Amino acid sequence: MAVVVVVDDEQRQRDILKAILEDEGHEVHTAPSAEDGLGAICRLQPDVVLSDLKMGGMSGVELLGKLPDDTIRPAFILMTAFGTISSAVEAMKKGALDYLTKPLEKDEIILAVRKAAERIELLKENLRLRDELYGKFKIEGIVGKSPKMLEIMDVIRKVASAPVTVLIHGESGTGKELVARAIHYNSTRKSSPFTAINCAAIPESLIESELFGYEAGAFTGATHRKIGLFEASNKGTLFLDEIGDLPPLMQTKILRVLQDKEVRRVGGKDSLKVDVRIVTATNRDLEKDVPAGRFREDLYYRLRVVTLALPPLRDRKEDIPALAVFFVDKYNREFGKRIKGVADSALKALLDYHWPGNIRQLEAIIERAVLMTDSDTIQLKDIKDELRVRSEKSLLDMDLPDEGINFEEMERELLKKAMVKSNNVAAKAARLLGMSYKTFWYRLEKFGINTDSSKEDKHPEKR
Ligand SMILES: Nc1ncnc2c1ncn2[C@@H]1O[C@H](COP(=O)(O)OP(=O)(O)OP(=O)(O)O)[C@@H](O)[C@H]1O
Ligand SMILES: [Mg+2]
């Protein structure tokens, strides 16, 4: 039952209301003026306020305007004399939930308070759900409660404060950087710097000075000393993104830092002790890069003491609704909008989509929809173009003909088409069909498709 504050300057009125509502099982407090009422409201945080409109001193509408700006304000019901309905309407505009006209009917009062209490209960329930979303299922903004994500959050908590290197593996947009930050901010290192470098985006010649820094005069153009990222991240975390693209020489140097825990600036004589936690990420399969000689095996084993494999969004679609709500909230705040959520039809489309760009793509689509929609919830029409452009021109748009199809024939055609489209590069063709290289070869051979012209070796390792 609800906590109710009754505000009225007439003693008799207060007594009657108190009696009626207490009979209904509510906890009722009374106040003889709006000023006293405000005090009681702040103190008691009631679910419902039942206030007279005209009182000596502050009016009911003024009281409404002074309610504390809490997440959940009490439901406000105004009581007015018959002639003052226009002010009641005014009060509704200002956020009163309901109004009752005098003389008051017992049943009306009971019903109005019951409805108001239900409404508050609903708001609280929603808030609890949101808290869950932001609290329990969140480490530094990671949303997801699919078994896969819960497991990942569990690993993050466990490894955060352990002095181990972590390798994060996942397709583009699956949240690798987010996870790297979560590891840092949940660790004992959180008050020291988190720094990041994208090994694929920086020219080889610059990576070394970025990571290790240099002394003045180390090379032409080195006019002053520069501190490298290892030094700058001392006691903190250094995130090496796209580690698979690190050139061989740099791989060797980083291995040395991991072993010796010291760095030397380019052109410097002395080594400096550093205590840096390394977290790396890659969307490549380093497991394959090692035997192919593209990645140092010893470094690989040092980096992957703990490996976190982030699943693509299409493998954990149950997270889509929560992510959508999360991004709607995020962009509501950013754009000052009040979109309530995602309409069912739109949500269904999001759930049906295959998300090649993973969470980053979902975020971009919601961002745009929050900005563009004319409605108070995101509608199918706000997102469907985005989903269509990027989705496969579906072969399955075609209805199955009555006489059926020859499945093997279709498969053979697809394999051939993929080979043609990828200029006979089998690895590419396999990717086009979403198959592993091995599976692809197996099927080519099975269908006896001529592979002589393939530019590739048959051994998957040597891609
Ligand atoms: N579980 C999640 N909950 C909330 N937001 C997420 C989640 N995962 C990813 N994001 C958001 O999606 C976007 C992309 O994530 P992030 O940059 O970490 O991906 P990435 O794997 O590093 O991608 P890339 O390989 O392209 O660099 C970011 O804005 C990030 O905040
Ligand atoms: Mg990234």
Side-chain angles (χ1 to χ4, degrees):
M1 283 292 112
V3 178
V4 184
V5 169
V6 172
V7 189
D8 201 308
D9 54 357
E10 265 180 66
Q11 168 93 47
R12 219 178 79 85
Q13 218 30 288
R14 290 199 300 273
D15 290 346
I16 294 174
L17 288 166
K18 186 170 160 78
I20 293 174
L21 293 172
E22 277 182 349
D23 259 4
E24 278 290 292
H26 300 298
E27 176 186 330
V28 185
H29 303 262
T30 60
S33 70
E35 289 80 357
D36 286 342
L38 187 58
I41 291 165
C42 293
R43 201 172 60 246
L44 298 163
Q45 303 194 317
D47 302 306
V48 182
V49 176
L50 203 58
S51 170
D52 195 13
L53 173 64
K54 273 202 184 131
M55 295 174 279
M58 209 199 285
S59 77
V61 177
E62 285 171 299
L63 172 61
L64 173 61
K66 287 203 157 62
L67 288 188
D69 216 1
D70 290 338
T71 357
I72 295 188
R73 300 166 128 218
F76 199 93
I77 302 172
L78 206 61
M79 300 176 289
T80 70
F82 199 59
T84 51
I85 289 185
S86 61
S87 9
V89 171
E90 197 51 40
M92 302 285 282
K93 283 190 194 150
K94 289 193 176 148
L97 181 71
D98 204 352
Y99 68 92
L100 298 170
T101 44
K102 291 178 179 176
L104 301 173
E105 298 266 350
K106 183 178 171 185
D107 289 347
E108 257 185 340
I109 300 166
I110 292 173
L111 194 65
V113 171
R114 190 183 298 159
K115 275 203 306 206
E118 277 169 12
R119 191 186 156 92
I120 293 296
E121 192 43 49
L122 197 69
L123 283 176
K124 285 188 176 163
E125 176 64 21
N126 277 336
L127 205 69
R128 264 197 296 280
L129 288 176
R130 292 238 147 142
D131 274 355
E132 255 177 35
L133 191 62
Y134 288 118
K136 186 160 152 209
F137 299 125
K138 168 196 145 167
I139 311 182
E140 304 297 332
I142 303 180
V143 177
K145 51 184 172 177
S146 56
K148 285 177 178 160
M149 281 314 283
L150 290 179
E151 195 183 314
I152 282 175
M153 291 179 205
D154 194 41
V155 177
I156 293 175
R157 281 193 205 94
K158 283 183 183 140
V159 303
S161 287
V164 292
T165 56
V166 180
L167 173 65
I168 304 167
H169 182 249
E171 288 179 15
S172 179
T174 45
K176 295 186 293 294
E177 177 149 4
L178 189 68
V179 166
R181 286 177 194 276
I183 290 173
H184 174 73
Y185 288 106
N186 283 278
S187 77
T188 48
R189 298 172 171 266
K190 63 171 174 258
S191 41
S192 302
F194 172 93
T195 53
I197 180 172
N198 184 332
C199 305
I202 297 184
E204 180 165 359
S205 57
L206 287 182
I207 294 185
E208 182 171 16
S209 51
E210 280 298 317
L211 286 175
F212 296 92
Y214 50 75
E215 295 291 348
F219 45 83
T220 359
T223 51
H224 54 272
R225 167 188 291 175
K226 178 187 159 83
I227 302 293
L229 285 176
F230 273 108
E231 260 182 89
S233 331
N234 199 18
K235 303 242 181 301
T237 305
L238 172 57
F239 175 50
L240 302 171
D241 204 356
E242 313 280 5
I243 185 80
D245 292 296
L246 200 66
L249 183 65
M250 278 298 115
Q251 293 178 22
T252 310
K253 296 208 165 181
I254 287 187
L255 179 65
R256 208 169 295 147
V257 180
L258 286 172
Q259 283 165 347
D260 305 342
K261 305 207 179 336
E262 48 186 38
V263 293
R264 189 183 303 175
R265 299 187 193 119
V266 178
K269 293 194 187 64
D270 307 319
S271 295
L272 308 150
K273 279 275 168 217
V274 286
D275 166 21
V276 175
R277 193 278 175 86
I278 306 284
V279 176
T280 61
T282 178
N283 53 24
R284 298 167 55 138
D285 198 349
L286 286 186
E287 194 112 30
K288 289 199 181 124
D289 284 343
V290 169
R294 276 187 300 265
F295 204 84
R296 287 187 67 127
E297 187 173 20
D298 41 9
L299 179 59
Y300 175 60
Y301 286 112
R302 284 220 168 230
L303 294 178
R304 48 147 274 178
V305 176
V306 174
T307 329
L308 266 173
L310 297 188
L313 188 53
R314 64 183 163 280
D315 289 350
R316 50 178 172 113
K317 289 193 168 176
E318 63 266 48
D319 285 339
I320 290 176
L323 282 163
V325 169
F326 177 78
F327 291 133
V328 167
D329 279 358
K330 175 172 173 184
Y331 290 101
N332 269 342
R333 281 196 298 279
E334 197 145 306
F335 301 138
K337 299 201 58 162
R338 290 190 180 189
I339 309 300
K340 291 204 194 96
V342 181
D344 284 351
S345 55
L347 190 59
K348 183 170 179 312
L350 295 177
L351 288 167
D352 283 344
Y353 189 58
H354 62 292
W355 300 109
N358 292 299
I359 300 172
R360 173 172 304 112
Q361 186 186 6
L362 175 63
E363 178 170 1
I365 287 177
I366 300 280
E367 175 182 4
R368 180 183 172 280
V370 167
L371 190 66
M372 304 299 275
T373 188
D374 299 321
S375 141
D376 64 353
T377 45
I378 291 173
Q379 302 295 321
L380 182 58
K381 70 173 170 40
D382 299 321
I383 58 170
K384 72 174 196 289
D385 289 348
E386 304 285 310
L387 298 183
R388 190 181 298 140
V389 173
R390 291 180 202 171
S391 83
E392 296 139 338
K393 258 185 257 137
S394 182
L395 300 159
L396 298 175
D397 279 349
M398 175 189 88
D399 221 1
L400 281 181
D402 291 339
E403 67 280 13
I405 56 158
N406 182 332
F407 187 70
E408 298 215 334
E409 197 51 47
M410 277 189 83
E411 183 176 353
R412 178 201 301 273
E413 283 310 309
L414 281 173
L415 292 167
K416 279 194 198 157
K417 273 193 178 154
M419 281 301 264
V420 170
K421 190 172 175 102
S422 52
N423 198 15
N424 278 336
V425 178
K428 264 195 202 162
R431 235 172 288 146
L432 279 179
L433 298 179
M435 283 181 196
S436 77
Y437 189 71
K438 265 193 196 143
T439 311
F440 185 74
W441 265 109
Y442 172 81
R443 306 203 80 74
L444 279 189
E445 279 177 352
K446 174 178 162 193
F447 287 107
I449 295 172
N450 184 7
T451 53
D452 293 347
S453 53
S454 167
K455 293 181 178 165
E456 303 242 339
D457 191 288
K458 285 200 180 181
H459 296 285
E461 291 76 21
K462 292 203 187 155
R463 295 167 45 191

